[in-house]
Every structure is written in structure tokens, then in C-alpha cells.
Amino acid sequence: MATLILLVYAFFLAAILLYNLLQLNLLFHYLRRGEIVPPPPLDPARLPLVTIQLPLYNEPYVAERLIDNILALDYPRDRFEVQVLDDSTDGTTALCEAKAAHYRAQGFDIQVIHRTDRWGYKAGALADGLPRAKGEFVAVFDADFLPNPQFLRRTLGYFQDPKVGVVQTRWTHLNEDYSLFAKLQALQLNVHFTIEQMGRRAGHHFLQFNGTAGIWRKSAIADAGGWRADTLTEDLDLSYRAQMRGWEILYLEEVEAPAELPVEMNGIKSQQFRWMKGGAENARLLTPLVLKADIPLSTRLHAMAHLLNSSVFLAVLMIALTSVALVPVMDRYGAYTGFLSLSLLGLVGVATVYFVANLRLLPRPRTLRQVLALIFYFPLLLTLSMGLSFHNSVAVIEGLLGIKSSFVRTPKFNIVGQQRGKTDRRQRNPIGKSLIIEGLLTLLFASALVIAVSLQSYGFFIFHLMLAIGFGAIFVASWRER
């Protein structure tokens, strides 16, 4: 039995190491990326017509802020229309209707498209609005985004290349200083929106439209088969189908789109669950297409890693559980030194990608305090990720097995900086099985620390300490938000 556990541990450790090597390959491409050649300026007399879609569901705290921001875009009002795709069941619809009437009186083309069945969730709302869209291009912004007034002018010019089907911009964060959890989320997202996206672009690999803060060529959506509700991450699904049809996704790292990070643990969990399960659903559906696609081997390899990246959490959980069983027998096998060496190789890759991504985004001139803060936050980010491994593993398993679930929105509270708007505290979250298991896992890894001390076997001590703190922090934060 011990040998089997050892093999399981080694398998998942090797999987994580391979994933980290591919991340380092993206870093290599990122560091060697070339400058983006700006497109020729658009003819002011022939600016393209743009449809801006705003998918909303029960967003009373940010809906009006979003509409005000979008109607303030620096673009001729006769060259864009706004579709508020509202599936709300609360007072959000009335707020949107009032705002739309206010702006229509000023000459803006804005309509509220309200659905009552919410079929297909966000994908269904986008698909429902598309036949009514008058624009050649379709921009999408989620409820918590506040694009810069120059957003359209800085992005539309790139569509002069007929191969470009999507232009995606970089998310920035309105409230990353609100709390430690918000800061850690920002640092993690920064890796995706620098090294992963730009690295894939520089390496000529498949990229992702991130569901918001981007613009689609309307004909590319149709050519790729349109929005589908097969997964919880319809953005990744359509991105891959479009690229396999020959469309290019252009990522602009220098164009920023500020958004609000979730600040409550249950909001973080719902967002993570949707992203991880949606990624696994897409891996199940798109893997056969990627394997058959006429693309280079390196692109196919990175595409598979991209589609399966949520499975890293499952690998972390399996390593964590098997490592507890290995504590009493490590001396007998005499193999823990080799395992820890492999673990350190993976950790070096993760740390390197993290530091390069976030150092790149620090304001100039950088200070020693800022650099030291990044060093301090890194183990905390790893600890938080470990604490979410069970919750995210459930999402991955459900996605790979094709188990369907509803689209759970991530609450937004109109937070900018450390200033918080009004929130509705009437809804309480019940004590679910997941929360109980996270509490039990906290006890398990705390017990592993005691066993390690009693046996004087410290090979996994730091790992188990981080797991105990991570699961404990997730458990306590979730419990307090019941």
C-alpha cells in the first residue's frame, strides 16, 4: 500500500512539474516578445459601428455605475449602441430602465433587454442580444468593469487586420488594497494578464478571450458557431473554436480595464468554482478538437496545458493527502530528499513567473519596500491556493465528469480602493459539506504536524504547515460569512 501511495504522489508531483516547465516556457516567450506595431489611425469619418453588451444579473450596487461609465466613452454617440442584457430578478432592472431612459433622452442608443428564464446564463444573454446587434464589432463588459474613456479608440484600429477576430485587454484592479484576500487575488491574476497571455501571443499559441474587457468581430462569433451554454466559461469555449477556425486573438497588455475583485470568501469561492469547473468542462469538450487540429505540436501542448490548468488544484490536493500517509514511512523508503528536490524545482518555476509578472507592473521607480512586499505575499498566495484546493478539485471533477450546475454570480459591492458601498446582508450561506470537509482537512494537516514532530520526520513539515494554515484560513473566513 505504501508503494502505491508513493507512486500516486510521484505521478501528481511530476504533473505539476511539467505544468511549471510550460509556464517557464511562456516566461521565455514573454521576455523575448517584440513590440506591438500600432495600427494606422482610423478614418474619423468612417469609424466602425460598435455594439456594447453589458450582461447583468442582480447587480443593484454597480449597474448604474457601469452604465454611466460606458456612456462616457470617447466615441461618437451615433457610432455605438449599448445593450443592457439584464436577467435580474431584483430591483436592478428598474435601475437600468431608468438609466437607459435618461441617456436615450440625450440621444444615446441604449436598450435594456430583459429575460425572465435566464436560459444559458451569461452565454444565453449574449447570444440573445447578438441578432439585434447593429454593430460590426461587439464589446463585452461585466458589471464590475470601468473601462477608460479611450478604450474603443485604442482597440478598434487593430481590426484593420482582417485575421483579427478578438482584441482582449488587461484587467487591472479597483480594490486590490481593500484586504489581504483582494491583494492575493490581484497578484495571481497579474500572472495571467502578463506572462500567460503575452507569452502565448509571443509563442504563437492559442490565447483566451477573458469574457469581458474585450471586443469581438461579429462575423468571427458567427463563423465559430456562436455563444454556447455547454460550459460555465463560454468565453474560453468560443475563444478556442474561433482560433481553430483561423481567427486570431490579439492581446494588448498596455490597454487596461479596471474591475472589482471579490472581497468575501464565498464570493471568491463562487468565482473560483465557476472558472475551474468551466475550464474542466472545456477540457472535456475541446480536447478532441485540439488533438485533431492542424496546429504545431508546441501549440497543441500549450493548448492542452491551458485547458487542463484547473486540474493543478486536483494534483495539489492528491499530493497533500498522499504526503500525510507517507510521513510515517519516509525514512523506510529513504526517498523524501528526491521528492523534495522535485518539489523545489516546481516552486522555483512558480516563484519566477510570479515575481517577473508582478515586478513588471510595479509603478516606477520601484522601491525596496514594494519588492519586499512581493516576497512576503508569495508564500501567502501559495498558502491560499492550497487552502482552495479541495473546493476547486470538486469543481474540476464535476467538470470532467460532465455534471451540470448553475452559473453562480460573484457579488460586487461598488468597492474602489478601501471604500466599500452598501451591501445586502440578509442572505446567509448554510453550513455545507464542503465547509465541514475544509474544517476536517485543517485538523488532518495539523495532526500531520504533530505526527512529524513525534517521529522527527520533517520532510513535509513546511508543506503541511502551509496546508493547515491555508485550509484553516478558508474555513474560518467562510464560517464567519455564513
Side-chain angles (χ1 to χ4, degrees), residues 171 181 184-186 188-189 232-233 261-262 264-280 309-310 313 381 384-396 408-411 474:
W171 297 7
F181 284 146
L184 296 179
Q185 290 175 85
Q188 187 176 44
L189 284 170
L232 292 178
T233 48
L261 295 160
E264 295 184 331
M265 181 50 64
N266 287 304
I268 296 171
K269 280 183 166 182
S270 67
Q271 185 180 74
Q272 287 283 309
F273 192 92
R274 188 172 68 249
W275 288 352
M276 297 306 114
K277 182 171 182 176
N309 63 5
S310 59
F313 286 98
L381 178 58
L384 176 67
S385 298
M386 291 178 186
L388 286 168
S389 61
F390 170 74
H391 178 267
N392 288 351
S393 292
V394 173
V396 171
V408 180
R409 61 178 284 274
T410 304
I474 299 297

Side-chain angles (χ1 to χ4, degrees), residues 182-210:
K183 172 62 74 174
L184 296 179
Q185 290 175 85
L187 296 173
Q188 187 176 44
L189 284 170
N190 288 345
V191 173
H192 174 71
F193 284 100
T194 54
I195 290 171
E196 289 185 346
Q197 285 285 62
M198 281 299 295
R200 290 186 182 113
R201 178 185 170 184
H204 305 289
H205 304 315
F206 284 177
L207 281 76
Q208 176 183 359
F209 167 65
N210 295 106

Side-chain angles (χ1 to χ4, degrees), residues 160-182:
Q160 294 175 83
D161 182 345
K163 298 189 300 295
V164 174
V166 186
V167 173
Q168 174 67 52
T169 64
R170 180 167 62 88
W171 297 7
T172 56
H173 320 293
L174 293 167
N175 61 323
E176 64 180 291
D177 295 323
Y178 181 82
S179 67
L180 177 60
F181 284 146

Side-chain angles (χ1 to χ4, degrees), residues 23 46 66 68 90 115 131 140 165 189 208 237 285 305 351 400 406:
Q23 290 292 94
R46 301 181 62 186
L66 170 67
D68 287 337
D90 63 358
R115 303 190 311 161
V140 181
L189 284 170
Q208 176 183 359
D237 173 38
L285 295 173
L400 293 176
S406 61

